[in-house]
Structures are given as structure tokens and as C-alpha cells.
Amino acid sequence: ATVECEMVWDTTDTGFGAIKDAFLGNDVIGLQVLDDATGTGEGLQADFMITNFSRNEALEEAITVSVSAKVTYSASAPTWLE
């Protein structure tokens, strides 16, 4: 599975920092991709590699980053949370 999303460039956000660090360090990161922002939704839980972390600088809007994450091999098999 591949997950693609956009994030606001916010160096004070711990989630942003963890994803950026995983990309720059070529490290595995555990993510939950859920259909509910409260963390109680349904979706994929797996270890991912961040394969793209591209900064987008619009002239009038906030700076964003495009993120692509791909499920990778690890000791923890991907699971579907319900």
C-alpha cells in the first residue's frame, strides 16, 4: 500500500518532525491511516518508509509538503484496525 498526503510545513509539529526525520534518515516509521481524525476510526496500521517529502511553496498560501509513504517489511505485519 502507498499513502499520499499533504501536510502544512510546521517545524513545531511533532508528527511533521517525525515524518521529516524518517525521510531524511531513511528510517522506518509506524503510522496509522484512519478514516477519523480522533484516532478511533478504521484503517491501516503498518510500518512505512517515507519515499517522497517534497516542499511546495505557493505564493499566497501556506508552505506545504507532499508526502508519500509505502508499507515496508518489518517485524510487525500490517493490520486493519476497526
Side-chain angles (χ1 to χ4, degrees), residues 46-58:
D47 288 337
F48 289 82
M49 291 294 294
I50 306 302
T51 59
N52 180 46
F53 192 82
S54 302
R55 185 171 159 153
N56 306 311
E57 298 190 34

Side-chain angles (χ1 to χ4, degrees), residues 8-78:
V8 173
W9 187 276
D10 182 359
T11 57
T12 64
D13 182 277
T14 56
F16 172 85
I19 291 173
K20 178 179 67 87
D21 291 346
F23 176 74
L24 294 174
N26 202 30
D27 295 326
V28 173
I29 185 169
L31 298 174
Q32 290 181 342
V33 184
L34 305 175
D35 61 0
D36 184 351
T38 64
T40 60
E42 185 174 327
L44 179 65
Q45 175 177 291
D47 288 337
F48 289 82
M49 291 294 294
I50 306 302
T51 59
N52 180 46
F53 192 82
S54 302
R55 185 171 159 153
N56 306 311
E57 298 190 34
L59 295 176
E60 297 180 11
E61 298 176 13
I63 296 172
T64 61
V65 61
S66 296
V67 177
S68 297
K70 188 168 186 163
V71 173
T72 191
Y73 293 104
S74 74
S76 303

